Amino acid sequence: MTELLERLGGAPTDRGLIITAAHLGQSHAANVAIAKCLGSGAVTSTEMMVPCAWARDAAARFADMPIGVSLTLNAEFDNYRWGPITQAPSLLDGDGGFPRTSADSWEHSDLEEVQRECRAQIERASQWGCDLTHLSTYTNTLLMRPEFFGAYLDLALEMRLPMRLGSAAEERRAGFPFRRLASEAGVLAPDYCVHITSDTVRKQLEEVLENLDVGVTEIVIAPALDTPELRAMDPGWLYRVEQYLLVGHDHWLPNTIKHTQTQLFSYTDLRDIQRSS
């Protein structure tokens, strides 16, 4: 049994699952799709990209609902740009948005500006009335470098929120023990994390669900409606639409979860037990 599973009241052989719909606020297509997926009974959490153009719509659409903040320092699309909500020159690239890659952010970003921008994103979501549940890091920029992770962990401690951490393979690539550091600080995170990125969405989900380890696994999806906006914006639009159709309209996922006797959790559960410690 993992420590997190024990604190959630699980049995030694239980397999817990959080399914998070990410990229809320990035587009209208994402907002509508995530609303539908949350009503499906399988998706248990979502998270907002505060600097994006449709974040205010998302906050209004999900007023008083539990929402995480996807701390955003990158804007990878060529045709759709977003940037910092603070005065942060080091967080901009040459065309006025966030850098397209994490490597650019690591090379040019001032850490004080990173911390100020991320705090402002959290505070804006709170001011919009969101019931904040957790922090995550868009494109893993805050996860894979020790100095950036320090800012990420400090904010989780300050806001008393759990956080998303990467897989064991990502921890090895990062070269420092971010899971141990978070645990020693008293910040909770799911034991495992899987991002669904394949074009064969159902097959990838089947493989993940068939091979869940004891503990709590988070599956991260990014559903979106099939719209001209999405197709023009995101080169990976097809797999996002497939995720929406499978999770938002098909009963296969909740039926499979029920059949495998997997216990569903949310980041609200993690937040509440972290704050009760």
Side-chain angles (χ1 to χ4, degrees), residues 47 55 71 113 123 132 150 186 189 217 220 227:
E47 57 196 29
L71 298 171
E113 291 188 352
E123 290 174 348
L132 302 185
T217 299
V220 184
T227 65

Side-chain angles (χ1 to χ4, degrees), residues 27-39:
S27 64
H28 181 264
N31 291 357
V32 177
I34 289 172
K36 176 68 175 178
C37 289
L38 283 169

Side-chain angles (χ1 to χ4, degrees), residues 17-159:
L17 189 62
I18 297 172
I19 301 182
T20 301
H23 304 353
L24 185 67
Q26 189 186 69
S27 64
H28 181 264
N31 291 357
V32 177
I34 289 172
K36 176 68 175 178
C37 289
L38 283 169
S40 71
V43 172
T44 60
S45 295
T46 187
E47 57 196 29
M48 182 190 300
M49 297 174 65
V50 172
C52 292
W54 284 91
R56 188 66 186 88
D57 171 79
R61 192 181 294 266
F62 293 86
D64 301 320
M65 289 183 61
I67 292 177
V69 177
S70 181
L71 298 171
T72 302
L73 297 172
N74 296 100
E76 74 275 32
F77 300 141
D78 287 333
N79 297 331
Y80 173 34
R81 312 291 294 137
W82 55 86
I85 64 173
T86 60
Q87 296 297 318
S90 75
L91 306 187
L92 294 168
D93 69 359
D95 63 2
F98 282 124
R100 287 174 169 80
T101 67
S102 296
D104 282 348
S105 294
W106 296 329
E107 184 175 355
H108 301 295
S109 297
D110 177 88
L111 285 174
E112 288 187 5
E113 291 188 352
V114 167
Q115 188 104 7
R116 185 166 62 248
E117 170 66 21
C118 290
R119 182 178 290 106
Q121 292 179 21
I122 298 167
E123 290 174 348
R124 179 167 293 183
S126 181
Q127 290 165 1
W128 283 341
C130 300
D131 177 20
L132 302 185
T133 59
H134 69 283
L135 302 179
S136 67
T137 166
Y138 187 63
T139 67
N140 276 351
T141 298
L142 290 168
L143 183 66
M144 301 298 286
R145 289 292 185 275
E147 62 274 25
F148 283 75
F149 178 76
Y152 187 27
L153 182 58
D154 285 347
L155 287 166
L157 283 167
E158 179 183 339
M159 304 298 174

